Amino acid sequence: LALSKDKRQGLGFFSACRVSCDLVKLTSRADYRLEWWHIYNGGWQDKTVQETDGTGRLSMPSVPGGNTRGWAFRILRVSEAAAQPEK
């Protein structure tokens, strides 16, 4: 994953036959828009919004159409949760 310094956006690649992948060190409790790039036909597909957990981990959704080929992807932070007061 190539991630900007401010953790606002990134580009990555998901290899064929990979079952799962998590992205780490993102902004915690933030929403990221994720889009898949079809590496053979071109074009962005299956836009979703995923939320990171309290440690900044984002669990990647399944690739479109199964995992028989590699897919590129991009992420863009679209919002951050308001800071929660400590108890």
Side-chain angles (χ1 to χ4, degrees), residues 28-29 80-86:
S28 64
R29 304 268 182 238
E80 297 178 45
Q84 299 295 322
E86 292 187 31

Side-chain angles (χ1 to χ4, degrees), residues 25-32 52-57 79-81:
K25 299 183 180 180
L26 299 174
T27 302
S28 64
R29 304 268 182 238
D31 289 333
Y32 282 85
T52 57
D53 66 13
T55 66
R57 179 179 301 272
S79 69
E80 297 178 45

Side-chain angles (χ1 to χ4, degrees), residues 1-86:
L1 175 68
L3 187 63
S4 63
K5 281 186 178 183
D6 64 1
K7 302 179 183 181
R8 185 169 215 70
Q9 58 188 341
L11 296 171
F13 187 81
F14 203 83
S15 61
C17 302
R18 183 77 188 226
V19 177
S20 67
C21 176
D22 288 349
L23 304 180
V24 296
K25 299 183 180 180
L26 299 174
T27 302
S28 64
R29 304 268 182 238
D31 289 333
Y32 282 85
R33 184 177 68 221
L34 184 138
E35 294 176 275
W36 296 102
W37 177 263
H38 193 292
I39 62 172
Y40 299 122
N41 299 334
W44 294 106
Q45 299 180 19
D46 291 359
K47 183 188 322 183
T48 62
V49 174
Q50 306 289 320
E51 183 180 2
T52 57
D53 66 13
T55 66
R57 179 179 301 272
L58 185 146
S59 295
M60 294 288 286
S62 298
V63 297
N67 62 352
T68 58
R69 66 175 169 271
W71 286 84
F73 64 88
R74 66 181 173 187
I75 60 171
L76 177 65
R77 189 174 66 221
V78 293
S79 69
E80 297 178 45
Q84 299 295 322
E86 292 187 31

